[in-house]
Amino acid sequence: MASPMRSLLTDPSRYVQSFRLFLTNSTEHQCMREFMEGQLPAVIASIGNGKSTINILSVGGGAGEIDLLILSKVQARYPGVTIRNDVIEPSADQIFKYKERVAETSNLENVKFTWHEETAYEYESRMNSEKKSKKWDFIHMIQMLYYVKDVPATIRYFHGLLEAQAKLLIILVSGTSGWEMLWKKYRSSFPLNDLCLYVSSADIKRILDSAGLKYQLHELPSHMDITSCFIEGNKDGELLLDFLTETCEFSKTAPPELKRQVMEELRKPECSEERDGKVLFNNNLSVIVIEP
């Protein structure tokens, strides 16, 4: 009898292991970097106009790879201007790595970092109890809306903190990605965890449209090599399957029929394409830039 399935988030070290493997096997950061190089300068073109200090809030900043790229673009657009960069990140491990990265990066003299080891919800609650509502020139939430309890309320709260020229930037999986197909079909079979929501850009668009907010949407093509998932007993393949299903030890704990169906689904053209003997999962992302 297979042991009951449990959420990957109940094992933080295995989650981080599978997440790092996902980054290694996918073009996730590469396609984000291309966006930051090519399109971010236009997004931030007016956020600091006439300001001596630019305030940036990173919600779910992780280990800081993408944050530092964003900061370099803001510095290039507003040379010499002081930047206050606040980071909300619940993982102490990720904050530690972020701080290490900052220590190794030159040209950050004009950036003042503050880290808050808390979730977006804890930050909001703390600000409300302290009766503070600091305004920001740029807020970004990269791949983090899966981990909030109430997505519309979270967007509403942070959108309310924008200055007049500011922007709120959200990156998450596209409504056309393999994630959307897989989650639509199997979310009820995977272990539910109130820490993880299956949301894609299709859901965010609906939320923004119903709130009457103005936004632009950019699609970023991306893929993840999941060939190893189809090699029985392959350690990397097992970790990637955990990440895809948000299930700890999916290969060992999933009922055989569910495992068979998921493996079959992953090979379908809605989820992946086969190229040069590899199975490439559709990891397309959406960037949503919201106006104040």
Side-chain angles (χ1 to χ4, degrees), residues 167-276:
K167 297 279 190 289
L168 168 59
L169 179 138
I170 292 172
I171 302 184
L172 81 172
V173 298
S174 167
T176 64
S177 67
W179 296 101
E180 173 83 344
M181 309 308 156
L182 191 65
W183 290 342
K184 255 193 190 145
K185 210 161 182 177
Y186 293 102
R187 72 175 72 191
S188 58
S189 309
F190 296 151
L192 277 174
N193 185 302
D194 63 356
L195 270 172
C196 186
L197 298 170
Y198 300 119
V199 287
S200 74
S201 64
D203 303 301
I204 304 304
K205 278 171 66 178
R206 279 193 289 276
I207 291 166
L208 298 177
D209 289 339
S210 71
L213 294 176
K214 279 176 62 182
Y215 61 92
Q216 291 99 41
L217 184 73
H218 307 265
E219 289 288 315
L220 311 185
S222 174
H223 64 259
M224 162 169 55
D225 183 347
I226 59 167
T227 317
S228 60
C229 293
F230 300 93
I231 304 167
E232 198 59 48
N234 181 289
K235 285 279 170 277
D236 283 1
E238 287 179 2
L239 278 168
L240 287 175
L241 268 177
D242 284 12
F243 193 75
L244 284 160
T245 59
E246 287 282 344
T247 303
C248 193
E249 306 265 12
F250 177 80
S251 288
K252 295 184 173 71
T253 62
E257 181 53 22
L258 175 64
K259 185 181 171 184
R260 189 192 64 74
Q261 286 177 11
V262 167
M263 300 311 285
E264 217 169 80
E265 191 69 29
L266 285 172
R267 277 193 182 272
K268 287 183 182 170
E270 294 80 14
C271 273
S272 304
E273 63 164 319
E274 305 214 13
R275 205 163 66 214
D276 307 326

Side-chain angles (χ1 to χ4, degrees), residues 1-20:
M1 168 86 188
S3 59
M5 293 160 69
R6 61 189 176 102
S7 164
L8 181 57
L9 291 163
T10 59
D11 186 337
S13 69
R14 191 168 172 92
Y15 173 80
V16 168
Q17 232 187 321
S18 65
F19 174 65
R20 295 212 172 116

